[in-house]
Amino acid sequence: MCGIIGHAGRADRTLDVLLAGLEGLEYRGYDSAGVALANGDLDVCKREGEIEMLQRAVDPGLGGPVGIGHTRWSTHGPPSDANAHPHTDCSGDVAVVHNGIIENYDELKAKLREAGHEFDSDTDTEVVPHLIEDALAGGASPEEAFRSAVARLEGSYALAAVFAGSEALLATRSGSPLVLGVGDDAAYLASDVPAFLEYTDRVVYLEDGEFARLESGTWSVTDASGARLDKSVSRVEWDAEETAKSGYDHYMLKEIHEQPRALRKCLRGRVDELTGTVNVEALEGLEADAVQFVACGTSYHAALYGAQTLRAAGVRAQAFLASEYATSPPPISDGTLVVGITQSGETADTLAALRRAKGRGVETLALTNVVGSTAARECDRTLFIRAGPEIGVAATKTFSSQVVAANLLSASLAERGDAREVVEALRDLPGQVQEILDSSRAEEVADRFVDSDGYFFIGRGYHHPVALEGALKMKEITYRHAEGFPAGELKHGPLALVTDRTPVFAVVTGDGEEATKTVGNVKEVEARDAPVVAVTDGASEVERYADEVLSIPETHPRVAPVLANVQLQLVAYYVAAELGRSIDKPRNLAKSVTVE
């Protein structure tokens, strides 16, 4: 859940690269930051708070041919200067940064203390430089000492280390991502590509158990035994401009407005409008008697939607929270496909669930945004959503693209359904999203209800996941209480919370049975003096009972949720903006959750 950046190259550039890389990783969530540069001696500076605090504290004259930086999201010990990374050994000759959790750190720490080592932090990470120090004292080289320390660790980790008197940066991973950047005269290391994308678009993805060595623009990768590996160099399709704000006040607003383009990219070359068919190379020959989706957070809401589309087409399908699936998996049979939905492809709970499924002998599919991610590499198949980089912690364009990709999966697996009508609706979707972005009244609605005590979101059928997602967005970036419910469940308890200070956002499209019943639920809310905001295509009479209306174009029932969700994203954004929240970096949250 934290960020790592490393550089090996010109000594006068290292500090600038590290600080810029840390800024490029801010979206992952953090509460402290630090750097370590090796140039004969080892210079370490770290501070609690935002990167600006580190920039003020660090000596701008620091240099060195290698260096590492880190943004920390607290797991062991509260945010503080002492708990910030990098962590060092007793002598100050080894500095280490770490993402993940070392599960046996208590045992290791006790043994190290018995041997005379002193600790300055509450973190699990601090045992690593002391383990390295022990091995160095026994005559090991830096690389031998690093490998020796790693061999004693249990848990998940991405680790990088630099040493006084050495121009090498050493790194390894197990269950937490690391990627190398290959420049013309420098080599880079990071937990995610945006950290070094302004310097190079050539990357090498590390696998679990592999070790990297970076020195003055050169790099090598070896396995656990030390044997050199022939790793391929890939090119990242993103460019640095895609990870900039481009004139928007926040990344989240930029990414909401990028949805038409993201959806076009998701669909390009995958649907045939003339025949009404879907042709996705990654899904060719795919068959499944049943589908189990595993996901977390926003991706779980996309999974709920995906399971519903498959059930409607006659395929047995269920959605599970990945954290529950990993520890208490449901019964599984031959012919089951397990689909992991994860924006980053690095979500620890989702990876654990996919590995659990793979261990049970069934086929796995990653539905993800990131080429080269762990999920993409480990699953049998991968369906990329092609949304481009998403920097804001609160997912927006990736949710819309996940929903569209779920439709592609459904059409590929299902033997019956209304594929032609869905394909036609998907063709029109990007333009309809743009229409909403150009005309939405979300800012006015947000202004009216910004001081509410809480917010409720209701919907039926395909709109139930949208109600959950609308509530999650409101919670994530406004810090206000919000809940989403199936519309019919409101009267089974939650209605007790409804007052004239709790607006209810009702998603109602079409004029069928679901719409009619949801209108009935809206009447129940209205009778209790709660303000109603209808998100609707105007096909029902819900406007008659609404205090505010957020309109969406008419479309196929399976596509309407994407349009409704855009309106709810905008409402959450404008409420948060008026409250002055940290929209792109909500408190306590991270973009990529790499701990279980």
Side-chain angles (χ1 to χ4, degrees), residues 494-557:
L495 202 58
L497 300 174
V498 169
T499 72
D500 60 359
R501 292 186 53 79
T502 56
V504 176
F505 290 78
V507 184
V508 188
T509 61
D511 59 359
E513 182 182 7
E514 285 184 354
T516 300
K517 289 184 179 296
T518 306
V519 170
N521 302 132
V522 167
K523 292 177 183 178
E524 294 171 345
V525 168
E526 184 199 33
R528 286 153 180 84
D529 296 324
V532 174
V533 180
V535 185
T536 182
D537 57 7
S540 69
E541 58 178 12
V542 70
E543 298 99 319
R544 292 175 51 192
Y545 309 100
D547 298 88
E548 295 282 358
V549 175
L550 294 170
S551 298
I552 66 172
E554 287 192 62
T555 186
H556 192 280

Side-chain angles (χ1 to χ4, degrees), residues 35-216:
V35 294
L37 289 83
N39 187 10
D41 294 327
L42 198 61
D43 295 308
V44 178
C45 183
K46 53 186 184 175
R47 288 293 184 273
E48 176 190 353
E50 297 194 353
I51 291 169
E52 182 181 355
M53 303 300 292
L54 173 65
Q55 291 169 329
R56 291 177 184 173
V58 71
D59 179 354
L62 290 182
V66 292
I68 51 178
H70 189 269
T71 52
R72 176 181 187 250
W73 191 91
S74 299
T75 55
H76 294 73
S80 68
D81 289 355
N83 287 334
H85 297 216
H87 288 289
T88 57
D89 63 331
C90 294
S91 63
D93 290 335
V94 181
V96 171
V97 293
H98 165 230
N99 290 351
I101 292 179
I102 297 170
E103 295 172 356
N104 63 333
Y105 86 99
D106 273 332
E107 173 190 341
L108 294 171
K109 194 171 187 177
K111 291 179 179 178
L112 288 163
R113 275 184 168 148
E114 289 176 5
H117 291 264
E118 296 181 0
F119 290 82
D120 298 320
S121 78
D122 305 311
T123 69
D124 55 337
T125 304
E126 197 181 359
V127 300
V128 181
H130 290 279
L131 290 172
I132 294 172
E133 182 183 25
D134 250 9
L136 289 172
S141 68
E143 185 163 347
E144 290 169 340
F146 183 71
R147 288 176 179 270
S148 172
V150 169
R152 298 178 66 180
L153 304 180
E154 297 174 7
S156 64
Y157 49 81
L159 287 165
V162 291
F163 303 79
S166 172
E167 296 187 359
L169 187 164
L170 305 178
T172 189
R173 62 158 286 179
S174 179
S176 195
L178 272 181
V179 58
L180 305 185
V182 181
D184 293 333
D185 59 356
Y188 307 87
L189 174 81
S191 46
D192 206 354
V193 171
F196 56 68
L197 191 54
E198 66 178 288
Y199 307 109
T200 183
D201 62 354
R202 292 179 290 162
V203 300
V204 176
Y205 296 101
L206 291 186
E207 302 284 354
D208 282 355
E210 294 180 345
F211 290 76
R213 182 183 180 96
L214 282 62
E215 279 186 282
S216 299

Side-chain angles (χ1 to χ4, degrees), residues 389-413:
E390 186 175 66
I391 305 302
V393 167
T396 51
K397 65 177 180 177
T398 52
F399 176 75
S400 297
S401 296
Q402 286 170 344
V403 167
V404 168
N407 274 292
L408 301 180
L409 174 63
S410 177
S412 298
L413 283 177

Side-chain angles (χ1 to χ4, degrees), residues 146-415:
F146 183 71
R147 288 176 179 270
S148 172
V150 169
R152 298 178 66 180
L153 304 180
E154 297 174 7
S156 64
Y157 49 81
L159 287 165
V162 291
F163 303 79
S166 172
E167 296 187 359
L169 187 164
L170 305 178
T172 189
R173 62 158 286 179
S174 179
S176 195
L178 272 181
V179 58
L180 305 185
V182 181
D184 293 333
D185 59 356
Y188 307 87
L189 174 81
S191 46
D192 206 354
V193 171
F196 56 68
L197 191 54
E198 66 178 288
Y199 307 109
T200 183
D201 62 354
R202 292 179 290 162
V203 300
V204 176
Y205 296 101
L206 291 186
E207 302 284 354
D208 282 355
E210 294 180 345
F211 290 76
R213 182 183 180 96
L214 282 62
E215 279 186 282
S216 299
T218 65
W219 62 276
S220 61
V221 179
T222 53
D223 64 16
S225 69
R228 184 153 184 162
L229 300 173
D230 183 17
K231 299 287 289 186
S232 61
V233 179
S234 307
R235 283 196 179 271
V236 178
E237 295 181 1
W238 306 343
D239 59 43
E241 178 61 27
E242 285 189 88
T243 61
K245 289 184 182 177
S246 305
Y248 288 91
D249 289 338
H250 298 92
Y251 283 112
M252 181 180 179
L253 185 60
K254 172 179 178 273
E255 288 154 6
I256 289 172
H257 281 264
E258 286 177 340
Q259 287 177 111
R261 183 175 66 174
L263 294 173
R264 289 189 184 98
K265 289 173 68 176
C266 184
L267 292 167
R268 187 173 299 136
R270 291 170 164 178
V271 294
D272 188 327
E273 297 174 17
L274 294 177
T275 62
T277 57
V278 169
N279 301 294
V280 183
E281 183 177 354
L283 303 179
E284 287 182 4
L286 180 64
E287 296 181 356
D289 298 325
V291 177
Q292 294 178 350
F293 289 91
V294 292
C296 307
T298 286
S299 295
Y300 174 67
H301 300 154
L304 288 171
Y305 170 91
Q308 190 165 0
T309 64
L310 283 167
R311 289 196 299 270
V315 178
R316 289 185 292 123
Q318 297 170 282
F320 299 91
L321 288 165
S323 56
E324 292 294 312
Y325 189 100
T327 54
S328 303
I332 201 166
S333 58
D334 292 341
T336 297
L337 172 69
V338 176
V339 180
I341 304 184
T342 161
Q343 185 281 134
S344 65
E346 304 293 350
T347 309
D349 288 319
T350 305
L351 291 175
L354 287 167
R355 290 164 181 159
R356 187 71 177 262
K358 202 170 182 67
R360 300 169 79 185
V362 298
E363 190 169 11
T364 56
L365 167 70
L367 197 158
T368 186
N369 191 37
V370 182
V371 176
S373 61
T374 301
R377 297 196 306 274
E378 291 188 0
C379 285
D380 300 305
R381 296 172 183 257
T382 303
L383 175 57
F384 292 109
I385 66 172
R386 302 174 176 173
E390 186 175 66
I391 305 302
V393 167
T396 51
K397 65 177 180 177
T398 52
F399 176 75
S400 297
S401 296
Q402 286 170 344
V403 167
V404 168
N407 274 292
L408 301 180
L409 174 63
S410 177
S412 298
L413 283 177
E415 296 182 357

Side-chain angles (χ1 to χ4, degrees), residues 484-498:
F485 303 99
E489 287 299 300
L490 196 63
K491 59 185 176 293
H492 294 291
L495 202 58
L497 300 174
V498 169

